[in-house]
């Protein structure tokens, strides 16, 4: 009972406080955006490492004046907190993992793409290993002939948590470099080759 109460309290308190902190970090940093020359009008899959999740909504806003995206989030407790924070940024969520019970999540994501939603995914989430690609992003992209854009945020000053993903929290009063790749077409590639293409792009700005 006590554990349930504490979790309910955390789900009520942490998301608004976390959202304020994220906005504070963003507003107190200088920003540089490195964007692709072409931004597709059709739905896209946005991929970024799990440890680089914190400020990605702001990069997404550079692509869409009106956000219309669903982010794949785990069913775990921390995933519930992240999902509630995403709502403050006007982003929807799909709960589950492409590795655990993956079929259901992939079906929901493919349906969202059909309905005109962009999809955000962490290919090494929800539990790692860090920087190891799951199959989900490739399956979605090839099933719906959807292009993939890779995201990265590189802060000049940051903390890194001792978690499996070395979750990165930028410090205030520095510089944030946001990178987005050109749209990547995975059509016709074998699974491992397609994963290698995405991973290579994701690793370009790892620190």
């Amino acid at each position: 009972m006590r554990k349930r109460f504490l979790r309910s309290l955390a789900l009520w308190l942490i998301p608004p406080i976390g959202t304020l902190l994220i906005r504070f970090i963003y507003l107190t940093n200088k920003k540089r955006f490195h964007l692709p020359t072409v931004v597709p009008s059709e739905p896209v899959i946005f991929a970024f490492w799990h440890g680089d999740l914190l400020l990605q909504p702001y990069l997404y806003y550079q692509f869409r004046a009106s956000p219309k995206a669903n982010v794949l989030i785990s069913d775990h407790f921390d995933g519930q907190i992240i999902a509630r924070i995403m709502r403050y940024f006007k982003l929807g969520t799909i709960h589950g993992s492409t590795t655990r019970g993956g079929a259901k999540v992939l079906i929901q994501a493919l349906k969202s793409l059909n309905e005109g939603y962009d999809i955000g995914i962490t290919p090494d989430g929800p539990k790692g290993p860090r920087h190891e690609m799951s199959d989900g992003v490739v399956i979605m992209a090839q099933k719906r002939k959807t292009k993939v854009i890779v995201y990265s945020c590189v802060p000049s000053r940051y903390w890194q948590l001792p978690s499996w993903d070395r979750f990165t929290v930028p410090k205030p009063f520095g510089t944030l470099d946001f990178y987005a790749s050109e749209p990547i077409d995975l059509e016709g590639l074998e699974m491992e080759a397609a994963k290698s293409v995405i991973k290579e792009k994701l690793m370009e700005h790892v620190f």
Side-chain angles (χ1 to χ4, degrees):
M1 184 65 118
R2 175 183 166 83
K3 183 178 179 181
R4 186 181 301 175
F5 170 76
L6 290 175
R7 286 200 164 197
S8 297
L9 185 64
L11 285 172
W12 181 64
L13 284 176
I14 294 176
I17 294 171
T19 301
L20 287 173
L21 288 173
I22 291 169
R23 288 176 172 158
F24 174 76
I25 290 168
Y26 181 79
L27 290 172
T28 55
N29 272 277
K30 296 178 182 177
K31 275 78 67 177
R32 293 190 295 230
F33 291 95
H34 311 270
L35 303 176
T37 54
V38 176
V39 178
S41 57
E42 65 272 13
V44 171
I45 297 169
F46 296 101
F48 39 90
W49 292 132
H50 197 276
D52 194 18
L53 171 66
L54 194 68
L55 296 177
Q56 298 304 351
Y58 288 107
L59 183 49
Y60 179 71
Y61 291 157
Q62 300 297 310
F63 288 83
R64 305 292 191 223
S66 299
K68 189 177 181 182
N70 286 323
V71 183
L72 271 63
I73 301 291
S74 78
D75 277 328
H76 300 290
F77 178 66
D78 56 350
Q80 294 177 46
I81 290 174
I82 293 169
R84 294 191 181 205
I85 291 174
M86 290 295 104
R87 290 178 201 163
Y88 283 98
F89 290 97
K90 300 181 180 178
L91 300 174
T93 54
I94 295 172
H95 289 269
S97 164
T98 56
T99 52
R100 282 180 51 189
K104 179 182 176 182
V105 174
L106 287 171
I107 288 169
Q108 288 181 279
L110 291 170
K111 182 180 177 183
S112 289
L113 287 167
N114 279 346
E115 294 171 347
Y117 285 85
D118 298 309
I119 293 292
I121 183 172
T122 56
D124 60 346
K127 292 295 180 182
R130 182 177 186 247
H131 295 170
E132 289 299 321
M133 293 279 300
S134 64
D135 296 347
V137 60
V138 176
I139 293 171
M140 287 188 289
Q142 292 185 336
K143 286 275 188 184
R144 288 293 177 264
K145 295 181 171 57
T146 303
K147 291 184 172 59
V148 179
I149 293 178
V150 167
Y151 277 2
S152 300
C153 175
V154 181
S156 60
R157 305 168 65 246
Y158 58 90
W159 297 282
Q160 236 169 9
L161 305 185
S163 53
W164 69 265
D165 58 355
R166 295 177 65 188
F167 194 84
T168 300
V169 180
K171 294 181 179 180
F173 311 112
T175 300
L176 303 171
D177 278 289
F178 288 94
Y179 295 91
S181 71
E182 297 291 336
I184 303 166
D185 189 348
L186 300 178
E187 195 169 355
L189 294 178
E190 297 293 330
M191 175 60 73
E192 291 307 314
K195 285 165 65 174
S196 293
V197 169
I198 299 300
K199 183 172 181 177
E200 183 179 347
K201 284 292 181 185
L202 281 165
M203 296 303 291
E204 283 184 0
H205 303 291
V206 166
F207 50 94

